[in-house]
Amino acid sequence: MPRWLEVCALSTLGDPGAREFSSGDGDWPLPGFVVHYRQRLSAYENRCPHAGHRLNWRPERFFDREGRWLLCASHGAVFDPENGRCVAGPCPGARLRALPVRCIDGRVEVDVEGWVWER
Ligand code: FES
């Protein structure tokens, strides 16, 4: 069964826009982010496939200045916001881990059922 976590109202996301969220309690909640790009929603685990760092150093800063690509702040990996594939940088072809996302009545929700931190 899905377990939908409400992240934000769609109306509060820009296009392009991104919003961080976390799932789980305790000392190690799982970090993720939703992306709104060209009127489509995506959600990803906030972990770069290159070295496992979070992509952003500053809150909600995932896109480049032009709002075209997602950037990893650590070593500059560049990801396609529509599918999470790395298109430039140190891990070309690798992908961000995608999570199921939906918009219901203007609320952006992510299915966090079964989401575990894979090593
Ligand atoms: S950890 Fe993201 S580019 Fe190295």
Side-chain angles (χ1 to χ4, degrees), residues 27-90:
D27 293 337
W28 303 101
L30 299 174
F33 62 105
V34 295
V35 172
H36 191 214
Y37 181 73
R38 293 182 178 168
Q39 301 180 20
R40 293 185 55 195
L41 286 168
S42 305
Y44 301 106
E45 188 174 79
N46 190 0
R47 181 168 61 160
C48 181
H50 174 232
H53 301 176
R54 292 184 187 215
L55 273 73
N56 62 318
W57 285 350
R58 289 191 276 170
E60 320 300 354
R61 291 293 300 269
F62 292 90
F63 276 95
D64 64 5
R65 288 176 202 258
E66 293 73 31
R68 174 61 188 91
W69 306 104
L70 300 172
L71 288 180
C72 179
S74 288
H75 312 108
V78 180
F79 299 91
D80 186 329
E82 295 184 282
N83 57 30
R85 190 172 66 89
C86 180
V87 296

